[in-house]
Amino acid sequence: MSFRHLFHIPQQNGKDVIYFCGNSLGLQPKQTSAYIQEVLLQWQKNAVEAHFMSPNAWLHYHTLSQPILAQLTGANPSEVVATGTLTANLHFLLATFYRPTQNRYKILCEKGAFPSDRYALVSQIQWHGFSPENALIEVGNTDNNAIPNILSTSQIEDAIEKHADSIALILFAGVQYATGQYFDIQAITRKAHSVGAYAGFDLAHAIGNVPLRLHDWQVDFACWCSYKYLNAGPGGVGGLFVHQNTHLKPRLAGWWGHDLSTRFAMPADFIPEQGAQAWQVSNAPVLQLAALQASLDIFHQVGFDNLLQKSRQLTAYLQEKIISLNQKYQTDLIRIITPLHPNQRGCQLSISVNQNAKKLHEYLNSNGVICDWREPNIIRLTPVPLYNSFEDIDQAYQILDSYYQQI
Ligand SMILES: Cc1ncc(COP(=O)(O)O)c(C=O)c1O
């Protein structure tokens, strides 16, 4: 099963690169420009009228993505919406779910969370007049410069228990960006709820990568970006999930979250849309939604279960190759940081190397293996099942081997 031909593969020296960077920016589907072109053409020919003209009237364009986003997140379509951007959506969701009191004001997250999430959490805590020093609980190693450690579920549960009376909310990654660890979202949510806290997740590295069942797991809220595994292009439209059991929460409202049936009557008072759509704030970014749709239609065509199967095989194969390289040189040249169990990761393997990781990263990139390097000493290699192949892994292995032969 290959869907590689549906994507533009960047070239280096006349050859396809080995693109292992879908964890950062997914490749462009060949259909993306046609989807965007269609919107541009509607704008050219019909201008404002295009908001209401079928097919794909702009007023409803964001609803096209709801069924597929629902499949990818394990949600009901009304619980998800493509809107805004990740960090901004996180703030909007925190405005609803983080309502600290003198007794319950703490937020718990993983140590080494993506900086933007941490900035958002710290600023929310301060915004409400609390101090991050005692209100932000970070689970994991204490050394700020260390690679975040792999957390056991019981470690996370214990941390929640320890602050049981004072936790307002937990905000965890679905898949940790640096280590590639896929956390047990269901267990974390259950534990958070057992102490009376809300459970939210940043799914930037999880959506389109690992199986999710947000509705059944009773997750309260989640948000994500679409430029990684969803291949919607740089700065693509984000998305959010709000569980349907969430009723009558306060929110920071904007007109695009107002009930559609009266939105254009321009009423003074806000009446929320049904479900997650109520958390939309501004006009939907239709050009970006078109780019997202081009990719989501591929997910729909492929079927996520098929993709997962290939994903596990590809990542296991990469793991095998790395281990065989260590065996060849009879030393731990490369340490795999990401958990080895397939249920605890997606397609990304994060590695650390004994010697200069930056030098290895430069060698890989200049030899056509496009991957990324993250402080303090991590290279992320991500075979994405939609467009990477087993041959990509064989070639990457040869290039890694040639590096170690010459140093
Ligand atoms: C895990 C995670 N959270 C948050 C962000 C920030 O996303 P944005 O810049 O779209 O708000 C990123 C960006 O890569 C990310 O990887």
Side-chain angles (χ1 to χ4, degrees):
M1 183 191 63
S2 174
F3 292 89
R4 184 181 172 86
H5 63 283
L6 299 177
F7 290 85
H8 289 290
I9 313 286
Q11 304 284 298
Q12 196 182 86
N13 302 325
K15 278 179 27 195
D16 287 358
V17 299
I18 298 155
Y19 193 77
F20 282 168
C21 223
N23 56 285
S24 182
L25 180 71
L27 291 182
Q28 184 185 130
K30 288 184 180 159
Q31 281 296 316
T32 303
S33 55
Y35 278 63
I36 292 178
Q37 203 55 44
E38 183 191 303
V39 176
L40 289 174
L41 209 63
Q42 287 171 315
W43 180 20
Q44 266 176 36
K45 294 204 313 207
N46 306 312
V48 72
E49 299 297 328
H51 279 97
F52 309 99
M53 290 173 72
S54 53
N56 303 341
W58 295 344
L59 194 56
H60 308 291
Y61 202 101
H62 64 282
T63 62
L64 296 177
S65 57
Q66 277 179 311
I68 309 170
L69 289 175
Q71 274 171 23
L72 294 177
T73 54
N76 294 330
S78 64
E79 291 175 314
V80 291
V81 65
T83 186
T85 53
L86 173 46
T87 311
N89 285 340
L90 178 58
H91 275 297
F92 285 116
L93 289 165
L94 289 171
T96 294
F97 288 94
Y98 183 53
R99 315 272 301 154
T101 63
Q102 281 312 313
N103 296 329
R104 270 194 190 276
Y105 56 92
K106 292 182 185 166
I107 300 181
L108 184 136
C109 67
E110 84 271 17
K111 180 85 186 172
F114 193 85
S116 198
D117 291 16
R118 197 173 185 282
Y119 305 154
L121 296 180
V122 166
S123 61
Q124 285 274 342
I125 288 168
Q126 289 168 333
W127 174 253
H128 285 282
F130 292 87
S131 151
E133 279 70 46
N134 60 15
L136 186 67
I137 311 298
E138 297 171 276
V139 190
N141 51 15
T142 46
D143 179 355
N144 278 337
N145 299 318
I147 294 170
N149 53 343
I150 300 302
L151 299 173
S152 67
T153 302
S154 57
Q155 215 177 333
I156 301 166
E157 289 170 332
D158 289 350
I160 296 174
E161 189 60 44
K162 192 170 160 203
H163 300 274
D165 297 334
S166 49
I167 282 197
L169 178 134
I170 68 104
L171 190 278
F172 248 73
V175 172
Q176 220 284 340
Y177 85 100
T179 65
Q181 178 178 12
Y182 176 22
F183 293 112
D184 187 338
I185 294 177
Q186 183 176 26
I188 297 172
T189 302
R190 195 183 291 136
K191 185 68 194 174
H193 288 172
S194 78
V195 303
Y198 287 115
F201 292 85
D202 173 345
L203 301 179
H205 292 262
I207 191 165
N209 180 25
V210 292
L212 296 165
R213 287 175 39 215
L214 301 185
H215 177 86
D216 291 348
W217 295 339
Q218 303 288 329
V219 166
D220 295 298
F221 70 93
C223 45
W224 55 85
C225 56
S226 63
Y227 40 79
K228 301 177 189 295
Y229 299 105
L230 298 189
N231 314 308
V237 60
L240 60 84
F241 163 91
V242 180
H243 201 283
Q244 70 182 32
N245 294 347
T246 301
H247 291 303
L248 301 173
K249 294 283 174 197
R251 63 175 74 71
L252 298 181
W255 79 311
W256 226 251
H258 184 98
D259 177 28
L260 182 58
S261 65
T262 55
R263 190 180 303 159
F264 291 91
M266 303 297 181
D269 293 328
F270 179 80
I271 300 170
E273 259 286 17
Q274 294 296 311
Q277 289 190 54
W279 275 263
Q280 297 175 105
V281 177
S282 295
N283 238 291
V286 179
L287 289 165
Q288 290 184 30
L289 286 166
L292 173 66
Q293 201 59 37
S295 174
L296 291 185
D297 284 347
I298 297 177
F299 276 92
H300 182 61
Q301 195 186 336
V302 177
F304 194 58
D305 287 346
N306 294 330
L307 213 56
L308 272 181
Q309 214 183 339
K310 184 176 172 201
S311 176
R312 288 184 163 200
Q313 290 166 353
L314 274 176
T315 303
Y317 188 54
L318 177 61
Q319 173 185 321
E320 204 180 288
K321 286 301 213 183
I322 290 171
I323 291 171
S324 76
L325 200 70
N326 282 339
Q327 282 164 349
K328 180 172 174 183
Y329 291 94
Q330 296 189 334
T331 163
D332 275 347
L333 288 174
I334 297 177
R335 185 169 76 83
I336 299 176
I337 300 163
T338 306
L340 299 186
H341 197 290
N343 289 347
Q344 290 175 33
R345 69 181 186 203
C347 55
Q348 167 189 338
L349 280 190
S350 299
I351 59 171
S352 76
V353 291
N354 297 338
Q355 297 98 346
N356 194 339
K358 210 162 183 183
K359 193 166 151 220
L360 171 59
H361 173 246
E362 279 161 14
Y363 183 84
L364 289 172
N365 271 13
S366 61
N367 283 280
V369 183
I370 309 303
C371 53
D372 64 16
W373 178 81
R374 285 285 176 273
E375 293 283 2
N377 185 24
I378 301 176
I379 293 174
R380 299 187 294 180
L381 301 170
T382 304
V384 173
L386 273 175
Y387 46 75
N388 284 122
S389 63
F390 293 93
E391 293 78 50
D392 280 344
I393 294 172
D394 285 332
Q395 285 175 33
Y397 171 84
Q398 299 297 342
I399 293 164
L400 269 171
D401 191 23
S402 69
Y403 176 78
Y404 284 110
Q405 276 175 26
Q406 49 114 51
I407 58 165

